[in-house]
């Protein structure tokens, strides 16, 4: 929480082993389901620790299946299970001492109203049905069909046509009289197929907008020469990634790290969970900005290095070899500079 506070540094060091826990990535992936579900829940299981200075350590992080979440009473409850894991008729409250409950969206509605995925149900149904409708259309009209013509009032010719059509299998052949007129019609499947394709694409794009905030990365689209649409939509996707990472980090800090520090008697504040959240383009822009500062005779303050580390997801420090013996970059003598070689 505060790198200048020894107690906070000790608390962060004690929690660094969590990222190597066997259940860590699975728990993170499950909690991120809450960007679409109302909530996502993970159970915490502790055991006595054999590490010096710690009383307890994490034994397991168990994702709670979404089908065990019960909102029938208007609030979140978890269904009890038997020895085989089958849900029973009883429920219990998700105690914060036992569970991590993550809400990864901006909805302020009650949990039992549903999450963002609720608005995707209709689009998913329409997208799925459009494939079935298209298959039915091809099955019925995709193959050529025949049209028979017979003289008016000639019941014998009509009977011959009906019998021939009944015995014909996918236009395998027809036996008719020479006076009977047969035409083969071809349905305009291409025009109908374009309509189905457009409708199916619209359904998929609407779902991508909610989940990714844009459609360019999910479906290749022509935006015109020199268009900045792709960059704009990529910026939206990066904003969503950063928001998801910040929300998940805040949940771990308040519902996992704080409890870990308390039960182990650690005096420091709960550490912050930070992932590398900026895109390669943003990292390059930051590097160019730092280079421009260096060339202008300016340097990054020590406090700002911590901010850069959090944004980049890397541990940054000053390059001490560049600080001694004058400034190797041609700046004012004795000026300490920030070097890209300090990245590690």
């Amino acid at each position: 929480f505060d790198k200048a506070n020894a107690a906070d540094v000790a608390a962060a060091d004690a929690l660094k082993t969590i990222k190597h826990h066997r259940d860590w990535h699975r728990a993170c992936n499950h909690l991120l389901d809450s960007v679409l579900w109302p909530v996502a829940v993970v159970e915490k299981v502790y055991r006595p620790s054999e590490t010096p200075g710690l009383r307890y350590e994490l034994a397991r992080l168990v994702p709670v299946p979404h089908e065990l979440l019960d909102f029938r009473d208007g609030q979140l409850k978890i269904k009890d299970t038997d020895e085989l894991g089958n849900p029973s008729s009883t429920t219990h409250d998700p105690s914060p001492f036992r569970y991590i409950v993550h809400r990864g969206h901006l909805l302020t509605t009650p949990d039992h109203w549903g999450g963002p995925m609720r608005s995707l149900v209709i689009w998913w149904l329409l997208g799925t049905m459009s494939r079935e409708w298209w298959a039915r259309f091809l099955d019925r009209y995709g193959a050529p069909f025949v049209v028979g013509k017979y003289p008016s009032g000639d019941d014998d010719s009509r009977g011959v046509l009906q019998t021939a059509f009944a015995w014909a299998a996918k236009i395998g052949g027809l036996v008719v009289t020479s006076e009977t007129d047969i035409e083969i019609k071809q349905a305009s499947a291409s025009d109908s197929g374009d309509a189905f394709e457009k409708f199916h694409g619209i359904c998929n794009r609407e779902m991508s907008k909610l989940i990714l905030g844009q459609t360019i990365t999910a479906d290749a689209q022509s935006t015109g020469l020199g268009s900045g649409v792709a960059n704009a939509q990529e910026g939206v996707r990066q904003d969503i990634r950063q928001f998801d990472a910040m929300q998940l980090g805040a949940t771990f800090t308040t519902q996992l790290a704080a409890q870990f520090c308390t039960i182990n008697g650690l005096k420091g504040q709960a550490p912050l969970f930070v992932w590398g959240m900026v895109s390669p383009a943003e990292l390059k822009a930051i590097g160019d900005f730092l280079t421009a500062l260096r060339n202008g005779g300016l340097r990054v303050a020590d406090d700002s290095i911590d901010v850069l580390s959090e944004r980049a997801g890397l541990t940054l420090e000053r390059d001490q070899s560049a600080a001694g013996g004058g400034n190797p970059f041609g700046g004012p003598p004795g000026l300490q500079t920030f070097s890209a070689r300090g990245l590690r």
Side-chain angles (χ1 to χ4, degrees), residues 17-259:
T17 57
I18 291 181
K19 65 181 181 180
H20 301 297
H21 196 279
R22 63 179 182 179
D23 298 332
W24 175 247
H25 294 291
R26 183 185 177 195
C28 290
N29 291 335
H30 182 76
L31 290 176
L32 284 174
D33 287 349
S34 64
V35 301
L36 294 176
W37 289 86
V39 299
V41 183
V42 167
E43 184 179 8
K44 301 172 286 187
V45 181
Y46 289 94
R47 65 187 175 196
S49 176
E50 298 178 356
T51 303
L54 294 181
R55 303 171 186 170
Y56 301 94
E57 63 183 13
L58 273 176
R60 297 181 63 192
L61 289 171
V62 184
V64 178
H66 294 291
E67 57 266 23
L68 295 183
L69 305 183
D70 191 337
F71 298 99
R72 289 177 297 178
D73 295 338
Q75 56 184 353
L76 174 63
K77 292 183 179 296
I78 300 177
K79 297 179 181 178
D80 297 322
T81 58
D82 56 19
E83 295 80 1
L84 299 178
N86 299 317
S88 62
S89 59
T90 59
T91 60
H92 61 276
D93 294 326
S95 170
F97 298 101
R98 180 179 174 184
Y99 295 101
I100 299 174
V101 181
H102 181 52
R103 294 169 176 83
H105 50 76
L106 292 173
L107 296 180
T108 58
T109 55
D111 294 333
H112 66 277
W113 284 24
M117 187 183 289
R118 186 183 185 92
S119 62
L120 294 180
V121 173
I122 298 300
W123 287 114
W124 179 84
L125 288 173
L126 290 176
T128 302
M129 292 303 299
S130 66
R131 295 195 297 266
E132 181 179 350
W133 294 333
W134 175 228
R136 289 183 179 181
F137 177 85
L138 289 180
D139 183 63
R140 177 174 298 181
Y141 302 108
F145 59 94
V146 294
V147 177
K149 299 179 181 180
Y150 63 94
S152 177
D154 189 351
D155 295 335
D156 293 337
S157 297
R158 182 182 65 182
V160 170
L161 277 177
Q162 292 176 343
T163 303
F165 287 172
W167 283 93
K170 295 295 183 182
I171 317 301
L174 292 174
V175 179
V176 295
T177 63
S178 59
E179 291 81 11
T180 305
D181 187 11
I182 301 295
E183 294 181 5
I184 297 180
K185 298 293 185 180
Q186 178 68 49
S188 181
S190 59
D191 295 340
S192 302
D194 291 341
F196 277 102
E197 181 181 3
K198 291 179 181 179
F199 180 67
H200 186 66
I202 290 175
C203 295
N204 289 337
R205 284 196 295 271
E206 291 301 319
M207 291 187 287
S208 296
K209 286 179 183 179
L210 179 65
I211 299 175
L212 301 176
Q214 43 80 46
T215 60
I216 291 293
T217 59
D219 185 15
Q221 302 173 36
S222 176
T223 57
L225 183 63
S227 173
V229 174
N231 293 333
Q233 293 197 12
E234 173 63 15
V236 174
R237 189 174 75 96
Q238 294 297 336
D239 290 342
I240 293 178
R241 288 180 59 249
Q242 294 180 25
F243 173 79
D244 292 344
M246 292 173 60
Q247 288 285 95
L248 185 62
T251 295
F252 278 131
T253 297
T254 57
Q255 300 187 41
L256 178 63
Q259 181 187 39

